[in-house]
Amino acid sequence: MSGTSEQAPVTGAPDEPPLGIDALLERVRAGYRRVGAREAYEVARSGEALLVDIRYAALRERDGLIPGAVVVERNELEWRLDPQGSHRLPEATGHDLRVVVICDEGYASSLAAASLHQLGLHRATDLVGGFQAWRAEGLPVQPTTA
């Protein structure tokens, strides 16, 4: 999807009724193409995308990690991936970076991907079904080390 296309605003105008979470998810997901677990695995393996795991620590400890994924707590995501930010990760090389955000089940990651779009990361997307879909697909998972 091109970064020049106009997207519907995430929130309604002041005179519109507030959106519920389901409508908000539908609206933000309409702004990009989500990826399945197998595609996320392939684009990460080929170096075409950066996998970013935003699950909180207890879930990572319980279920394990995706090898090669960068762990970024959700509350730090925008600061770490903004290519212009002073607190960016070394991997945050530019606005053309393809990022696949991963949460536990694919809900919080949609909102996170939409936030990255607002920062100009127009190729940001998220994993349909999140980490649970990754694991169900039988893709690599490694235990966390204590």
Side-chain angles (χ1 to χ4, degrees), residues 4 16-17 23 30 33 57 87 91 94 117 121 124-126 135 137:
T4 60
E16 292 179 11
R33 187 181 70 79
H87 293 88
E91 294 89 349
H117 276 252
L121 291 156
T125 188
D126 76 312
R135 184 169 61 182
E137 189 72 23

Side-chain angles (χ1 to χ4, degrees), residues 9-21 23-24 27:
V10 173
T11 58
D15 58 340
E16 292 179 11
L19 289 176
I21 189 61
L24 178 59
R27 184 175 288 182

Side-chain angles (χ1 to χ4, degrees), residues 38-51 67 134 139-140:
R38 182 66 53 186
E39 181 180 355
Y41 173 75
E42 293 298 333
V43 296
R45 192 172 69 144
S46 69
E48 297 174 43
L50 176 67
L51 301 182
W134 179 280
L139 295 169

Side-chain angles (χ1 to χ4, degrees), residues 27-81:
R27 184 175 288 182
V28 300
R29 287 172 175 168
Y32 62 91
R33 187 181 70 79
R34 302 176 78 207
V35 298
R38 182 66 53 186
E39 181 180 355
Y41 173 75
E42 293 298 333
V43 296
R45 192 172 69 144
S46 69
E48 297 174 43
L50 176 67
L51 301 182
V52 179
D53 186 345
I54 63 168
R55 293 175 301 143
Y56 54 89
L59 290 177
R60 295 190 312 266
E61 290 169 11
R62 181 189 77 189
D63 294 336
L65 300 168
I66 294 173
V70 175
V71 174
V72 178
E73 295 286 337
R74 173 61 190 99
N75 64 329
E76 296 180 357
L77 183 69
E78 292 82 359
W79 284 267
R80 299 294 186 212
L81 291 182

Side-chain angles (χ1 to χ4, degrees), residues 132-146:
Q132 298 306 323
W134 179 280
R135 184 169 61 182
E137 189 72 23
L139 295 169
V141 173
Q142 65 188 39
T144 57
T145 55

